Amino acid sequence: MEKTKIGRRFQGKVAIVTASTQGIGFAIAERLGLEGASVVISSRKQRNVDEAVEKLKVKGIEALGVVCHVSNAQQRMNLISKTVEKYGKIDVVVSNAAANPSVDTILQTKDSVLDKLWEINVKASILLLQDAVPYLQKGSSVVFISSIAGYQPQASMAMYGVTKTALLGLTKALAAEMAPDTRVNCVAPGFVPTRFAEFITKNDDVRKAIEEKTLLNKLGTAEDMAAAAAFLASDDASYITGETLVVAGGIPSRL
Ligand code: NAP
């Protein structure tokens, strides 16, 4: 992160990032914070929230931490109200939480697992935005985190991929609904070696096979995803809405 030239595009802005105590969400919060935003970070566990807030503060970032399991209605509302209590408004919402609870084929996936995938990966984002809408400023911005798997759902995580496809549609639909005051865009990461993608780091052959699928012959970093999310959330993207930016080292997505 230090090597990247960082601007101050979010000076005076307030940004909420869900699932942001590690991995891609943390990197996004850090990037927005380094660019001047007051960032509100959250995840399911208080200890993770406290540690992440500390890490951001050490870097001089103004940060508030609130526990929020994205499928808990009360915790979603609390995330919004604590943000507004402290900072008075919301300029950026990055909806980053996702679950991938099963490696079953779609036709073998249990009813309860289908519900969980829909609830965490899609529905919670919608419900969080419903709570946030009254406080979203003119010129505000929403960023969803989809996946390259949304373009080509892979075996063993196919239903997860389908929920990520849904986010591409949600981006288009909400961009229309929330225009002109709020832009809605999406980042579709390729493979990033986080805890969520442990299968990559655990197995050298899998890692190599994925690297070879990219044109750049390497995995992505959380900072790569953060740079894309920050661009879309910033005024540099002020004429962009309803779009998904694929950040996948050249893995095929679409023409
Ligand atoms: P990660 O490193 O495993 O981090 C997950 C974060 O989410 C943690 O801070 C975790 O903290 C929090 N979290 C998990 N479940 C939550 C929930 N239900 N509610 C609130 N917070 C929750 O994951 P990641 O790889 O950065 O993934 C972030 C996003 O990128 C996801 O949407 C994922 O689908 C997408 N993505 C990742 C990759 C990849 O290769 N890594 C590729 C494409 C897309 P707690 O444990 O404290 O809750």
Side-chain angles (χ1 to χ4, degrees):
M1 176 68 68
E2 270 73 23
K3 280 184 232 139
T4 314
K5 213 170 150 213
I6 305 264
R8 296 293 287 177
R9 293 177 294 185
F10 297 96
Q11 197 70 51
K13 307 274 187 191
V14 178
I16 293 177
V17 186
T18 67
S20 47
T21 56
Q22 64 175 46
I24 293 169
F26 180 80
I28 294 171
E30 183 181 38
R31 176 70 191 244
L32 298 178
L34 287 173
E35 290 209 44
S38 299
V39 290
V40 184
I41 58 146
S42 61
S43 78
R44 294 167 298 181
K45 299 188 193 98
Q46 184 73 55
R47 190 165 58 88
N48 293 345
V49 170
D50 292 344
E51 283 174 10
V53 166
E54 219 25 64
K55 279 197 225 158
L56 294 175
K57 287 195 166 159
V58 163
K59 299 201 167 189
I61 292 168
E62 169 60 37
L64 169 68
V66 182
V67 167
C68 178
H69 187 316
V70 292
S71 61
N72 181 319
Q74 220 181 331
Q75 292 185 0
R76 280 195 307 266
M77 186 46 102
N78 188 47
L79 175 62
I80 300 299
S81 54
K82 286 272 161 38
T83 303
V84 174
E85 239 167 67
K86 181 148 189 199
Y87 299 118
K89 60 165 185 165
I90 304 169
D91 298 289
V92 175
V93 178
V94 181
S95 192
N96 169 65
N100 185 18
S102 158
V103 290
D104 290 337
T105 63
I106 291 180
L107 295 179
Q108 285 177 332
T109 302
K110 286 198 193 108
D111 191 340
S112 60
V113 174
L114 292 172
D115 281 349
K116 184 173 177 187
L117 279 161
W118 163 252
E119 192 172 312
I120 294 184
N121 297 4
V122 185
K123 193 172 91 171
S125 295
I126 299 169
L127 293 173
L128 180 71
L129 286 177
Q130 288 180 357
D131 292 342
V133 151
Y135 310 103
L136 284 176
Q137 303 297 291
K138 206 169 161 44
S140 57
S141 180
V142 172
V143 180
F144 293 116
I145 305 300
S146 174
S147 169
I148 189 70
Y151 289 91
Q152 189 59 62
Q154 303 285 313
S156 88
M157 47 182 218
M159 196 56 216
Y160 160 84
V162 173
T163 63
K164 293 298 192 179
T165 311
L167 293 181
L168 310 182
L170 187 63
T171 300
K172 293 278 180 207
L174 283 179
E177 197 171 313
M178 298 177 84
D181 289 346
T182 302
R183 294 179 301 102
V184 182
N185 291 295
C186 181
V187 174
F191 292 88
V192 183
T194 62
R195 193 183 61 180
F196 188 80
E198 255 178 352
F199 65 96
I200 306 174
T201 33
K202 267 200 207 150
N203 182 321
D204 280 350
D205 292 340
V206 173
R207 186 187 175 106
K208 216 164 161 278
I210 292 171
E211 283 170 354
E212 280 169 5
K213 270 200 208 173
T214 70
L215 298 179
L216 302 179
N217 211 18
K218 60 180 182 182
L219 301 176
T221 64
E223 288 73 21
D224 292 330
M225 307 309 138
F231 164 66
L232 289 173
S234 78
D235 287 346
D236 283 344
S238 61
Y239 200 51
I240 300 176
T241 193
E243 297 297 338
T244 297
L245 188 50
V246 177
V247 188
I251 293 178
S253 52
R254 83 288 193 195
L255 289 179

